[in-house]
Amino acid sequence: MNRPRTIAVKPIITLIVLVALIVACVSAPVCAMASGQAAAAATDTIVAGDAGTRRATPVDDIDQSAGDSGQSAAPIAGPVPNVIITNFTYGDGSVPAGGKFDLGFSFQNKGSVAVQNMVIGVDGGDGLTIAGGTNTFYVPQLAAGATQSQTVPMQALIDAKSGAQAVVVSFRYEYVDAGQRSSNSVDEKISVPVSQPDRFQINDPVIPDDAQNGQESTITLAYVNKGKGDISNVEATMDGKGFDTVSKTQYLGNVASGGSGTIAYAFTPTDSGDLDAKITVTYEDSDGQQKTKEFPVKLTVAEPAPAMDDTAADVQDEQPGTPVWLLPTVAAVAIVAIVVIVVLVKRHRKKKRSAMDEQWDDWQDDQDGGDTLEAQGHASDTPAADDTDRQAPTEVIAPQPGERS
């Protein structure tokens, strides 16, 4: 009876497993490298711009080859994009107060990603305003490194101060970086010079009518600042020949808006005849620009007055209009007259008082005598001679014709 043949299975299985392990160990690094390159090629994004290029990895496609542990690495966001003004124009020179101008400016995205939904605002402050239209503008998208321009019609206010006026340009926008949407804002400031018109008024010189050689005279110039800006460093100079002056240059300083004053020059002519001079006034307007105004001066100088000789001067001194001795003499005479009048008045009053006293004494005697006679009983019907004389005046009868006296 024949026994069946037995085949050894275990050694065969062991051999197959060993071969499979060898093949797996050899092919695994090659497959991993190929897989990593394919994933990188499929997920990498290149963003180009003037500021350079960078490699960004979207959030939806996470790198699966972060390590043996199988954990994924988060994408790294780039810097915040900035928008700046690269250039601006407002015209030539300064803007006069009340004048209109076009403010043009160019802005650029300096970031490495595009910006979206940009809103631009323009604020002219206290001295500038929008001359029609709006001060807000919308830009849907501005790529990284791209530049765009905008023009805004503006006007300087009539009462704006001279000097630089600030204009604020604000940028508000959004951007997407590393799969996330963010927002940012940037404020840019530019300045526009504004000038008030020069209204510094200087009147013509007022010259003397009777200038005389050797005698001091004065020339005056009135000024007023009618402008809204200040005038500074005002100087006046008088040039010419044929005269002398203490100071040919005068510094007047600053003149505020609405201020006024007078420039006065005191000079002494040294020559007779026609005198030609020039007064120059220099100052700086509200913009700091130096201005000059010139005023010619022409006047006729008379000959000096003839000098008086010493004899005439002595005669005039000896015969003045009012002698020196006259006043004391008049005062003395007046005093003497007053004394004499007082003495005479006193004498008159004394004499009058004496006469009144004598009459009073007589009247007293008469009264005393009458009382005595009546007391003694010797009264008489015949009036006394004195009484008769007092009561009956004497009548003188003129003799008749033919009678003998």
Side-chain angles (χ1 to χ4, degrees), residues 8 29 53 73 159 200 240 262 280 312:
T53 61
D159 58 348
F200 185 52
T262 303
T280 304

Side-chain angles (χ1 to χ4, degrees), residues 78-95:
V80 176
N82 290 321
V83 178
I84 65 173
I85 294 177
T86 58
N87 186 26
F88 69 94
T89 59
Y90 56 85
D92 296 332
S94 59
V95 178

Side-chain angles (χ1 to χ4, degrees), residues 308-321:
M308 299 179 61
D309 56 0
D310 296 339
T311 303
D314 295 340
V315 172
Q316 185 175 1
D317 293 339
E318 293 177 357
Q319 297 179 357

